């Protein structure tokens, strides 16, 4: 019963390096999300995918790109990492729409990313 | 502007005491969620509140929603150490394409 799986769990990068964070869900959800969590700021939405084949910007998309590879997988890419992107990144999945309004988003365990 | 404000942001209390965490939001909401996060861990859903006057309870935690006041409360009854965690509220605003806007979180420490 995996739910939402994120890889890697930890990563240290140098400024300017690139990397891709992976996320997969096995709950057959249509919608997937990438958040970053910084101390004292709650979660901020980076990008989301309401359904397979669509992606949209969230509150803080600059410096990131995403790919919705299929219904299960949603990846987040940092093309040229900057120290300001040091954060904990969470992937989540859910269903959208009023018919599913009683269902929360389900979260992965997070990726702790440090950029030196 | 879509805003969600929690208070207090930090709360230290003794076991056995009661306390309330408040979540205010800026405009009409479609629904409101409460989550719990333990240090270094993921977020766990606690409650989903959908309508005015909704009240949900799980153990020593009770959440309520007043949509007219744009306010949700998370009440802790007879706190125990295991409830120490950070609690977040998150709101789905009307016409926000179902995006969640998150409060900054309330870090709760319960001392034996």
């Amino acid at each position: 019963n995996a739910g939402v799986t994120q890889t890697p769990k930890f990563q240290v990068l140098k400024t300017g390096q690139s990397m891709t964070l992976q996320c997969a869900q096995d709950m057959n959800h249509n919608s997937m999300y990438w958040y970053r969590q910084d101390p004292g700021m709650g979660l901020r939405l980076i990008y989301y995918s309401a359904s397979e084949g669509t992606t949209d910007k969230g509150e803080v998309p600059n410096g990131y790109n995403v790919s919705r590879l299929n219904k299960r997988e949603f990846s987040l890419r940092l093309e040229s990492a900057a120290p300001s992107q040091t954060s904990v990144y969470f992937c989540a999945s859910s269903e959208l729409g009023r018919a599913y309004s009683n269902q929360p988003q389900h979260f992965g365990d997070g990726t702790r990313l440090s950029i030196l | 502007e879509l805003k969600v404000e929690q208070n207090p942001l930090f709360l230290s209390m003794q076991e056995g005491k009661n306390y309330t965490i408040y979540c205010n939001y800026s405009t009409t909401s479609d629904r409101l969620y409460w989550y719990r996060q333990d240090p270094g861990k993921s977020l766990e859903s606690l409650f989903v509140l959908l309508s005015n006057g909704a009240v949900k309870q799980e153990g020593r935690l009770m959440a309520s929603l007043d949509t007219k006041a744009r306010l949700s409360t998370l009440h802790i009854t007879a706190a125990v150490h295991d409830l120490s965690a950070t609690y977040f509220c998150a709101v789905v605003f009307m016409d926000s394409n179902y995006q969640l806007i998150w409060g900054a979180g309330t870090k709760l420490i319960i001392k034996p």
Side-chain angles (χ1 to χ4, degrees):
Chain A
N1 191 16
V4 180
T5 303
Q6 291 184 235
T7 56
K9 295 190 183 303
F10 302 94
Q11 185 72 48
V12 179
L13 294 177
K14 295 181 179 178
T15 297
Q17 288 185 317
S18 62
M19 80 162 295
T20 300
L21 281 63
Q22 307 286 353
C23 176
Q25 52 94 6
D26 63 3
M27 294 174 283
N28 202 35
H29 287 157
N30 283 299
S31 302
M32 298 184 73
Y33 311 83
W34 276 106
Y35 291 95
R36 61 179 288 173
Q37 184 178 33
D38 300 297
M41 296 187 71
L43 276 73
R44 291 183 292 169
L45 184 65
I46 304 171
Y47 271 93
Y48 67 103
S49 171
S51 61
E52 186 178 355
T54 69
T55 61
D56 287 287
K57 295 178 180 180
E59 180 184 357
V60 289
N62 292 345
Y64 306 95
N65 286 300
V66 290
S67 296
R68 184 73 183 267
L69 304 171
N70 48 55
K71 190 172 184 179
R72 290 186 64 249
E73 298 173 287
F74 189 37
S75 63
L76 178 71
R77 183 162 178 84
L78 287 72
E79 290 291 352
S80 179
S84 61
Q85 294 176 306
T86 293
S87 189
V88 181
Y89 292 84
F90 285 99
C91 177
S93 72
S94 72
E95 290 292 357
L96 284 183
R98 300 192 73 86
Y100 304 99
S101 60
N102 63 336
Q103 297 180 17
Q105 291 184 6
H106 296 266
F107 285 81
D109 288 339
T111 296
R112 284 146 186 82
L113 181 61
S114 293
I115 299 161
L116 307 177
Chain B
E1 184 185 3
L2 304 178
K3 287 181 65 175
V4 178
E5 294 184 341
Q6 285 183 240
N7 69 84
L9 298 182
F10 179 81
L11 177 59
S12 179
M13 55 194 290
Q14 297 292 128
E15 279 192 328
K17 299 291 187 182
N18 304 333
Y19 210 81
T20 300
I21 299 170
Y22 297 90
C23 175
N24 292 90
Y25 52 96
S26 59
T27 188
T28 306
S29 170
D30 192 53
R31 71 204 77 153
L32 187 144
Y33 301 88
W34 283 97
Y35 282 83
R36 168 182 173 147
Q37 185 180 37
D38 292 307
K41 302 294 186 181
S42 185
L43 288 94
E44 173 190 359
S45 174
L46 294 174
F47 302 109
V48 181
L49 302 170
L50 300 178
S51 59
N52 189 44
V55 177
K56 291 198 174 179
Q57 184 163 5
E58 179 75 30
R60 300 175 187 273
L61 300 178
M62 183 174 71
S64 65
L65 179 62
D66 181 344
T67 58
K68 294 179 181 178
R70 298 176 187 163
L71 171 68
S72 180
T73 60
L74 181 66
H75 187 73
I76 302 143
T77 302
V80 294
H81 179 68
D82 286 352
L83 290 178
S84 296
T86 299
Y87 293 86
F88 292 92
C89 64
V91 176
V92 176
F93 289 102
M94 300 291 222
D95 301 325
S96 70
N97 200 22
Y98 302 104
Q99 291 184 44
L100 264 66
I101 307 298
W102 293 77
T106 297
K107 185 172 183 178
L108 177 63
I109 296 176
I110 300 169
K111 300 177 181 178

